[in-house]
Amino acid sequence: MTDVDVLIVGAGPAGLAAAVELRRAGLSVEIIEQRETIGGAIYRQPIAGARPVRQATGAERRWRALADDFAASGIPVRHACIFVGIDGAGLVLIEDRHAGKIRKVAARGVILAVGAVEKVLPRPGWQLAGVSTAGGLQVMMKETGRAPGGRVLLAGNGPLLIAVAAQMVKLGNPPATIIEAGDPVGRFAAGIGLCAYPELVTEALSYLRTVHLHRIPWMRAASVTRIERRQKGLRAVVRDGRGREHVFDVDRIGLHDGIRPNEFGLPPEAAKDASLPVILRAGDCREALGAKAAISDGRRAAGEILERLAGKGRQAEREIERLRRAQDVLARLFRPVDRADPLMRLPDETILCRCENRTVGDLKRLCAGPDTPSGREVKHNGRFAMGSCQGRFCADNTAALMAALGPDRPPPSPEDLTGRRWPTRPLPIGAFVAAHAEETTPRDEQQD
Ligand SMILES: Cc1cc2nc3c(=O)[nH]c(=O)nc-3n(C[C@H](O)[C@H](O)[C@H](O)COP(=O)(O)OP(=O)(O)OC[C@H]3O[C@@H](n4cnc5c(N)ncnc54)[C@H](O)[C@@H]3O)c2cc1C
């Protein structure tokens, strides 16, 4: 039984590009997407009735071309459907939130295009209400067409902060200040390398122009060292490159320290064998190289699936390699000026695992004994990465701090904390019960 030739998980640039290529080659394709609109992290479309947020011109043009091709392909997208895993019989398990049940789909190929997650470094007070990720604020703006209200501080590291600031301007509430750990303006030499990527330079200049014209302060080589709750709003304490402290009283804070592939709980890539579909990853969940590379990588994955399922193939590797070099240049340009390990400087009471309220001090105590705990023991005995996010936000930081605390010991990997078995996110028991009831009820008695 095959329900569809290729099931694609994620309606971002990678998933949509892969879908269009496969449809053109004559395969049946279906996309599942956990949210209510398509577009992924960068091109997320507004929900019904909300106005769209305009992107930089180049990004807008890329999205139009992809969206038009996708609309013409007529490929169905099932929204509010979340990839759970692939069972022993090779069936894809999907939590359908609208129907409130788990569905099973038989596919010959599966492309996982689930994007990236944001990295956020812990700081004292980062768990307070009103502190979120800058990318989270961005998704909210794109879906609702509204800027977050009140005075907003954006802080952390990387070009996304500038993009979010420019989008807030377009929606009528510019951020109060941007705090950036790197100093891309001071790294002029590294920036010259970007000239080889005119599309990135044009996009970056358009955001920088907006930030400059609206006189949004961009404090570089600086970082938020702690956040405190005030009677009204939040106070961010910022240390600049000369070690001086500055205080910002705001209503909200958006933190962001880069992105990393969202590979939590994904099954490994697999060539076709008797029991499994061909499983491939595409876009930022394979390698976080940005939206343009995600489109190329979606096409590459489609080519590989075609090669394996139908004996046809395509190549997009050269473009991906070019954009990989571009990301290296950006990483050098935005490298934090202060090279000291920010995790080792955190006071013991700083929360590391927000779901389970576990602190830096808790981790130090666990690691202080003669028998160094493994990542798995830190999870099971210390409850790090044990809460509802299952380590999506804390596993990297916890593993990095464990490595820094025991430099002579083999470093734990974040997967020791997140685990490698699916489902790696909590699922409602009712969804399994509904699926079971459906399977055990004769078809003519089922009401769907
Ligand atoms: C928060 C955030 C903000 C970003 N903002 C910008 C920006 O302003 N400018 C820029 O150039 N780049 C930005 N990036 C990077 C850029 O979005 C990516 O490079 C690009 O979108 C990658 O495309 P993708 O298709 O690989 O993944 P994505 O665009 O992330 O798409 C993945 C899709 O998969 C869906 N998904 C995830 N897990 C599941 C699941 N289990 N089941 C079903 N669906 C699932 C998601 O909802 C999403 O729609 C951002 C990245 C992040 C994480």
Side-chain angles (χ1 to χ4, degrees):
M1 169 191 76
T2 302
D3 299 326
V4 68
D5 286 327
V6 183
L7 181 80
I8 296 178
V9 183
L16 297 179
V20 168
E21 290 293 299
L22 292 165
R23 192 74 204 93
R24 276 189 188 140
L27 268 57
S28 63
V29 185
E30 190 175 304
I31 302 188
I32 59 163
E33 164 58 50
Q34 64 184 3
R35 300 188 74 98
E36 295 294 351
T37 60
I38 64 167
I42 176 168
Y43 302 126
R44 172 81 56 217
Q45 295 305 290
I47 51 174
R51 66 179 164 135
V53 182
R54 275 192 70 76
Q55 313 261 348
T57 315
E60 199 73 33
R61 207 179 307 122
R62 270 197 301 280
W63 168 245
R64 265 298 28 107
L66 182 59
D68 289 349
D69 284 349
F70 183 69
S73 72
I75 296 164
V77 183
R78 282 178 187 257
H79 289 284
C81 282
I82 294 152
F83 172 78
V84 175
I86 296 182
D87 73 7
L91 296 174
V92 184
L93 268 59
I94 297 162
E95 184 199 357
D96 182 337
R97 291 211 166 148
H98 285 160
K101 66 182 164 205
I102 302 288
R103 292 188 190 280
K104 293 180 185 175
V105 173
R108 296 165 66 208
V110 177
I111 295 183
L112 302 163
V114 294
V117 289
E118 276 186 291
K119 293 194 286 190
V120 179
L121 285 173
R123 289 113 170 142
W126 72 309
Q127 76 283 2
L128 292 171
V131 183
S132 62
T133 67
L137 292 179
Q138 192 192 40
V139 169
M140 192 266 281
M141 285 194 284
K142 287 177 183 171
E143 285 186 347
T144 63
R146 285 203 227 133
R151 293 155 303 160
V152 181
L153 180 83
L154 299 174
N157 182 222
L160 182 89
L161 295 171
I162 300 291
V164 175
Q167 284 153 357
M168 288 180 67
V169 168
K170 295 217 164 106
L171 292 179
N173 186 24
T177 302
I178 307 167
I179 308 292
E180 166 59 54
D183 183 13
V185 177
R187 294 223 169 91
F188 187 72
I192 289 173
L194 269 189
C195 296
Y197 313 98
E199 70 276 31
L200 292 183
V201 175
T202 314
E203 198 169 329
L205 287 179
S206 121
Y207 292 138
L208 283 171
R209 188 166 168 274
T210 307
V211 164
H212 178 70
L213 286 179
H214 286 80
R215 299 207 164 87
I216 301 168
W218 187 25
M219 193 187 265
R220 297 177 296 279
S223 49
V224 171
T225 53
R226 62 177 192 279
I227 300 166
E228 295 160 5
R229 160 120 348 265
R230 308 298 288 173
Q231 215 170 16
K232 210 170 164 296
L234 297 163
R235 169 163 289 179
V237 180
V238 172
R239 194 180 44 233
D240 69 16
R242 295 190 182 146
R244 290 175 306 202
E245 281 204 344
H246 306 257
V247 163
F248 294 86
D249 288 330
V250 291
D251 300 300
R252 285 164 192 266
I253 297 176
L255 298 175
H256 171 88
D257 291 289
I259 57 175
R260 57 100 89 201
N262 174 15
E263 52 197 2
F264 302 101
L266 295 189
E269 293 195 302
K272 181 105 187 88
D273 71 23
S275 59
L276 284 180
V278 176
I279 304 169
L280 292 178
R281 297 180 187 185
D284 271 10
C285 73
R286 177 173 178 251
E287 191 177 359
L289 295 176
K292 198 158 179 265
I295 293 175
S296 298
D297 203 38
R299 293 184 182 136
R300 174 208 54 83
E304 257 185 62
I305 288 260
L306 286 171
E307 205 170 303
R308 295 194 201 174
L309 295 186
K312 304 178 203 164
R314 306 233 174 128
Q315 271 302 339
E317 277 294 350
R318 209 171 313 138
E319 173 68 352
I320 295 167
E321 179 49 40
R322 192 180 83 82
L323 293 164
R324 188 177 288 129
R325 287 196 297 273
Q327 288 300 322
D328 287 346
V329 175
L330 275 176
R332 281 202 297 281
L333 197 57
F334 277 87
R335 199 177 59 219
V337 170
D338 185 348
R339 303 296 292 144
D341 184 344
L343 295 171
M344 285 299 272
R345 277 207 301 240
L346 293 174
D348 280 5
E349 63 277 14
T350 311
I351 303 242
L352 256 189
C353 166
R354 291 169 53 148
C355 300
E356 292 285 323
N357 245 1
R358 307 312 287 163
T359 63
V360 168
D362 294 330
L363 185 66
K364 284 183 180 165
R365 278 187 288 282
L366 272 171
C367 295
D371 298 324
T372 314
S374 64
R376 218 171 135 66
E377 283 163 336
V378 162
K379 177 174 185 142
H380 289 280
N381 302 338
R383 299 201 64 78
F384 287 85
M386 197 58 133
S388 56
C389 95
Q390 286 290 294
R392 280 177 170 72
F393 288 106
C394 67
D396 282 349
N397 292 326
T398 307
L401 184 53
M402 284 174 73
L405 290 170
D408 308 328
R409 305 186 284 245
S413 100
E415 286 74 36
D416 295 339
L417 288 141
T418 56
R420 296 179 175 85
R421 280 180 310 174
W422 63 270
T424 53
R425 63 168 77 217
L427 293 166
I429 289 173
F432 282 107
V433 173
H436 178 71
E438 190 173 75
E439 274 174 16
T440 51
T441 308
R443 272 210 177 272
D444 50 4
E445 285 176 31
Q446 284 179 21
Q447 306 169 353
D448 208 19

